[in-house]
Amino acid sequence: MIGISLKMAGQKMPLTLADNVAAQDFASLLPLTLTLKDYAGIEKVSDLPRRLDTGGVPSGYKPSAGDITYYAPWGNLALFYRDFRHAPGLVLLGKVNADLRLLDREEPFDVTLELTD
């Protein structure tokens, strides 16, 4: 399992990446600083610097609160803070292992994602 951390506003949230090619490709982008914006009151999203390899991963996923995902049609990262229905094109990248209340803010905010030891 690959561990990463999400740093924001002086706080750190641990994440565990899934065991798939898309998550490994995402890890190859780290460290990465992104601006997360709210989308539809259920997730925080940000564009990635390039599209991820999704070869061999399921072509859809039903996310739960705490899931970090990749939305292949748009090429963006999506971090869910509420459960959602199955969505075609959504790929699981990992899971947040912390209190999601840190994400409960309306305005966009910067985060840094990096590999942990």
Side-chain angles (χ1 to χ4, degrees), residues 97-115:
N97 304 314
D99 188 345
L100 297 176
R101 287 181 288 184
L102 291 174
L103 303 174
D104 189 14
R105 49 179 78 190
E106 292 182 23
E107 72 282 348
F109 56 95
D110 292 339
V111 299
T112 298
L113 295 140
E114 58 190 16
L115 295 170

Side-chain angles (χ1 to χ4, degrees), residues 24-45:
Q24 291 170 1
D25 196 21
F26 176 66
S28 75
L29 295 174
L30 305 179
L32 190 60
T33 299
L34 302 170
T35 300
L36 294 179
K37 299 175 186 172
D38 197 71
Y39 185 79
I42 57 167
E43 62 188 295
K44 301 298 183 183
V45 299

Side-chain angles (χ1 to χ4, degrees), residues 1-2 5 28 32 39 48 52 54 69 82 84 92 96 104 112:
M1 289 259 165
I2 299 173
S5 67
S28 75
L32 190 60
Y39 185 79
L48 292 175
L52 299 180
T54 58
T69 63
R82 287 192 171 71
F84 192 58
L92 178 66
V96 175
D104 189 14
T112 298

Side-chain angles (χ1 to χ4, degrees), residues 8-27:
M8 56 180 264
Q11 307 238 5
K12 190 187 267 190
M13 297 173 72
L15 292 87
T16 304
L17 291 183
D19 186 18
N20 65 42
V21 70
Q24 291 170 1
D25 196 21
F26 176 66

Side-chain angles (χ1 to χ4, degrees), residues 57-112:
V57 298
S59 62
Y61 182 71
K62 182 182 187 303
S64 298
D67 285 346
I68 185 168
T69 63
Y70 174 66
Y71 188 57
W74 294 351
N76 70 317
L77 186 74
L79 201 160
F80 284 83
Y81 60 92
R82 287 192 171 71
D83 294 347
F84 192 58
R85 63 176 165 71
H86 182 272
L90 201 60
V91 176
L92 178 66
L93 295 179
K95 187 78 172 171
V96 175
N97 304 314
D99 188 345
L100 297 176
R101 287 181 288 184
L102 291 174
L103 303 174
D104 189 14
R105 49 179 78 190
E106 292 182 23
E107 72 282 348
F109 56 95
D110 292 339
V111 299
T112 298

